[in-house]
Amino acid sequence: MRWAVAVTAEGTALLCPLDGRGRAAGPVAAEPDVARAVAERTASGSVTRWVWRSTAQVYPRLLEAGVRVERCHDTEACEALLLGREGRWGEPRSLSAAWARLRRAPVPEDPPLRAADRQPSLFAPGPVPLPPGTDPLEALLEVYAGQLRRVEAAGHPERMRLLLAAESAGTLVAAEMNRAGVPWRADVHRELLRELLGESYPGGEPTRLAQLAEEVSRAFGPGARVRPDLPADVVRAFARDGIRLSSTRAWELRKIDHPAVAPLLRHKTLYRLHTAHGRSWLRTWVRDGRFRPEYVPGGSVTGRWTSNGGGALQIPKVVRRAVVADEGWRLVVADADQMEPRVLAAVSRDRGLMEVAGSGRDMYSVLSDRAFGGDRDRAKLALLGAVYGQTSGDGLRHLADLRRRYPAAVAYVDEAARAGEEGRLVRTWLGRTCPPAAAREEDFGDGGAGPPETDAQGPSGGGAARARGRFTRNFVVQGSGADWMLLVLASLRQSLAGTRAELVFFQHDEVIVHCPAQEAEAVVEAVRAAGERAGRAAFGETPVRFPFTTAVVECYADAK
DNA sequence: TTCTTTAGCGCC
DNA sequence: AAAGGGCGCTAAAGAA
């Protein structure tokens, strides 16, 4: 049975069981302690899903008390998905806002999801308050019942139900991972910094960076002083040597033949390490042997997660040396094989591509054997070009080959692109909906104002419309992949329940489980099973396989 | 001085 | 080989 739980302003709990339509099916209980109230009902096994305002509001205090739940319905996460599905993307998602809409009352704004957009403050924003005197459980029930009705009104109610369940499960995983943290050896990290950057003193430049800056300067002639970390400085220096640069991006520098290039590129890499993952990062984000980022499920519009602080989803390869399992424990690092091409096969139902994705083999190799004369790189380029909206180069030619052999697959993403260019909405397989163009106008150039971009204009219209098309083309694949991966997480989390293994890291198509060494093989099997189960759950009976590459390691850096 | 934007690069 | 989809973060540059 489903139960609803609301936390009052005083921090106490109001709970009641629910019927199938989300109405109270029993008396309301008022209890002083949320964690205890939930724990007691969870232990009895009578609760299959907890309905609450948001996981972020309720679950951390449960975890603090050692209480885990199996399933939940996060009304705020679900509200965002439902609003999108209804073409009302961007309306506030808070419970208070949803309740106000039902009552036709003034709708309060949401606080920004991203910490970077929030006012600097010591405290994360609390929940958007309900009007004074409102019973939080009644508001929760009203909103929840309304959401159940809206699910039924959606195009594919069964898919929408699955999507809401998956997103909610994701919020549970995120809260648990926030709490667990990534095992992190600060001593290994510091040693690595010393090796690569040399000695560094507080406030000073690491010795290796200073040396490289010297080398760069020398390469521009005696007496020259060029600071590699100042792009304008670098552009000027090259100009003096007769080389014109439009930027100092690494790929542009690599095209140039000049003695300054090599030390400059090296400096870029190390400077980046120093500023983004150096000692100050270590001090800020690593405590008690754990790196604790804050995950934001659904933080990006495609359904991918983002993170606040610490750059959790951009940990450079070299730094992964510092991610080390506890004594006697292992890291199971699992990477979904060619997630996006497999998802494209599943959603487009292209017979040929489904067959390619139907073996456990590397998809690009199979594809290259069949259509690209054994050239795996070309096959990969063609497929990624189709998904990303390649506009020029060899990839475009390869795309034509792909279109001939796998017409339904290419037509699927082409149609998504056309929809975007024409200002229509697109959705993932489960119904996650892309934001309308207007909501993202600032991301797509001038939005129609100003002079036309002559060189960027093609047969399909202006640069903004085509950028929109690339976005929607990518959205249907990247987003459906994100939906599938959420189901993987949910399934994996269920099978790890009751063991000592814990999810500690998740990055788009990759997940890390930290577990006792003797549990590692069981975790590997659990990942494999979760991938297949998620595939069937999301896409129904499909020949497409969803394999993972897994590695059981003590150190993250050894996984690939 | 303080705030916002830009350049650049890390990850998928 | 070219520079396309999604993000976050830092320091410098520019604006106020």
Side-chain angles (χ1 to χ4, degrees):
Chain A
M1 185 170 236
R2 297 185 170 205
W3 275 65
V5 57
V7 179
T8 65
E10 294 75 37
T12 65
L14 297 170
L15 310 89
C16 74
L18 300 171
D19 70 12
R21 291 194 224 169
R23 295 172 306 198
V28 172
E31 304 218 6
D33 180 53
V34 186
R36 227 179 113 185
V38 170
E40 280 166 4
R41 288 162 182 83
T42 299
S44 71
S46 62
V47 182
T48 55
R49 192 181 295 274
W50 285 99
V51 175
W52 55 44
R53 179 201 279 246
S54 79
T55 300
Q57 182 205 18
V58 183
Y59 202 36
R61 60 186 96 191
L62 301 190
L63 290 173
E64 186 66 39
V67 179
R68 294 199 166 217
V69 305
E70 261 192 69
R71 298 186 184 82
C72 79
H73 175 99
D74 180 320
T75 56
E76 298 194 336
C78 293
E79 184 69 19
L81 291 168
L82 284 164
L83 286 170
R85 184 67 180 74
E86 293 156 355
R88 300 157 66 194
W89 203 91
E91 289 187 40
R93 57 184 260 168
S94 71
L95 178 83
S96 306
W99 186 80
R101 279 189 291 267
L102 289 174
R103 296 297 180 97
R104 306 194 188 290
V107 177
E109 289 299 316
D110 281 345
L113 211 57
R114 287 164 10 123
D117 298 335
R118 295 199 284 256
Q119 293 297 316
S121 152
L122 286 173
F123 305 102
V128 179
L130 288 157
T134 312
D135 181 316
L137 185 63
E138 277 177 27
L140 175 66
L141 293 189
E142 270 186 55
V143 168
Y144 177 58
Q147 289 184 342
L148 292 184
R149 289 193 300 273
R150 289 154 70 194
V151 167
E152 295 313 310
H156 292 276
E158 72 295 343
R159 294 189 197 174
M160 203 61 201
R161 267 194 296 276
L162 191 60
L163 179 62
L164 299 191
E167 191 84 342
S168 295
T171 65
L172 294 177
V173 173
E176 289 166 5
M177 289 202 316
N178 287 347
R179 189 177 165 76
V182 186
W184 205 280
R185 287 276 298 273
D187 56 331
V188 174
H189 190 154
R190 269 192 293 269
E191 177 55 23
L192 182 120
L193 292 175
R194 211 184 55 77
E195 254 170 51
L196 294 170
L197 297 169
E199 299 302 330
S200 45
Y201 307 96
E205 191 182 29
T207 52
R208 184 77 188 116
L209 285 182
Q211 284 167 11
L212 284 165
E214 270 301 307
E215 279 182 52
V216 169
S217 293
R218 265 204 307 280
F220 284 109
R225 208 181 93 79
V226 179
R227 281 190 49 186
D229 54 320
L230 301 185
D233 218 21
V234 173
V235 169
R236 268 196 305 273
F238 275 111
R240 281 195 296 272
D241 282 3
I243 297 169
R244 289 186 47 202
L245 287 175
S246 53
S247 80
T248 64
R249 295 184 132 85
W251 61 267
E252 196 163 341
L253 290 177
R254 268 190 268 274
K255 293 191 296 197
I256 299 171
D257 182 24
H258 189 285
V261 169
L264 203 45
L265 291 174
R266 189 70 190 137
H267 184 278
K268 266 181 193 298
T269 306
L270 293 179
Y271 178 73
R272 166 102 193 149
L273 175 67
H274 170 61
T275 55
H277 287 92
R279 288 166 165 274
S280 124
W281 181 90
L282 205 43
R283 271 197 307 278
T284 312
W285 297 108
V286 177
R287 283 264 184 291
D288 306 322
R290 293 289 186 273
F291 164 44
R292 294 175 195 285
E294 180 199 346
Y295 290 97
V296 184
S300 101
V301 294
T302 57
R304 281 186 172 189
W305 292 13
T306 59
S307 66
N308 280 332
L313 305 186
Q314 299 114 251
I315 300 171
K317 294 246 159 76
V318 288
V319 175
R320 297 179 182 185
R321 185 59 56 197
V323 182
V324 180
D326 290 350
E327 190 68 38
W329 286 52
R330 296 290 182 275
L331 299 170
V332 177
V333 181
D335 219 299
D337 298 335
Q338 308 99 41
M339 176 174 80
E340 293 182 350
R342 286 175 193 280
V343 165
L344 175 58
V347 298
S348 70
R349 299 280 201 255
D350 184 287
R351 292 178 59 111
L353 201 61
M354 282 197 295
E355 214 180 291
V356 172
S359 81
R361 284 181 56 204
D362 170 71
M363 230 185 121
Y364 300 126
S365 300
V366 179
L367 198 64
S368 67
D369 289 346
R370 297 192 175 190
F372 291 90
D375 187 339
R376 183 181 182 277
D377 287 346
R378 256 177 59 198
K380 181 173 178 176
L381 214 60
L383 211 43
L384 292 181
V387 173
Y388 287 159
Q390 179 115 35
T391 55
S392 62
D394 282 354
L396 211 56
R397 221 173 49 245
H398 300 147
L399 186 57
D401 296 339
L402 196 72
R403 184 175 276 115
R404 234 180 349 265
R405 293 291 291 255
Y406 306 102
V410 179
Y412 191 88
V413 285
D414 281 350
E415 163 53 23
R418 198 173 320 118
E421 289 180 10
E422 292 169 4
R424 289 179 281 133
L425 297 181
V426 298
R427 307 180 200 286
T428 66
W429 186 253
L430 294 186
R432 188 187 301 271
T433 306
C434 77
R440 299 175 55 83
E441 211 166 85
E442 65 276 19
D443 294 346
F444 295 109
D446 57 18
E453 309 160 47
T454 46
D455 61 340
Q457 231 166 2
S460 40
R466 291 208 300 173
R468 172 86 189 149
R470 283 194 298 276
F471 167 70
T472 50
R473 172 191 293 273
N474 184 258
F475 181 94
V476 294
V477 178
Q478 188 186 114
S480 296
D483 294 349
W484 169 78
M485 195 63 198
L486 279 176
L487 291 168
V488 173
L489 282 183
S491 172
L492 183 57
R493 176 178 179 272
Q494 292 283 7
S495 52
L496 298 184
T499 74
R500 291 203 285 164
E502 55 184 7
L503 282 154
V504 294
F505 185 71
F506 166 52
Q507 178 174 241
H508 312 317
D509 64 351
E510 177 184 3
V511 48
I512 301 182
V513 177
H514 187 222
C515 66
Q518 60 273 21
E519 284 181 14
E521 279 315 309
V523 170
V524 169
E525 171 54 23
V527 170
R528 193 203 59 74
E532 295 302 337
R533 226 174 3 248
R536 280 195 304 277
F539 308 116
E541 279 312 315
T542 171
V544 177
R545 312 256 49 88
F546 291 92
F548 276 80
T549 295
T550 52
V552 178
V553 293
E554 289 179 61
C555 173
Y556 187 16
D558 296 330
K560 274 182 239 182

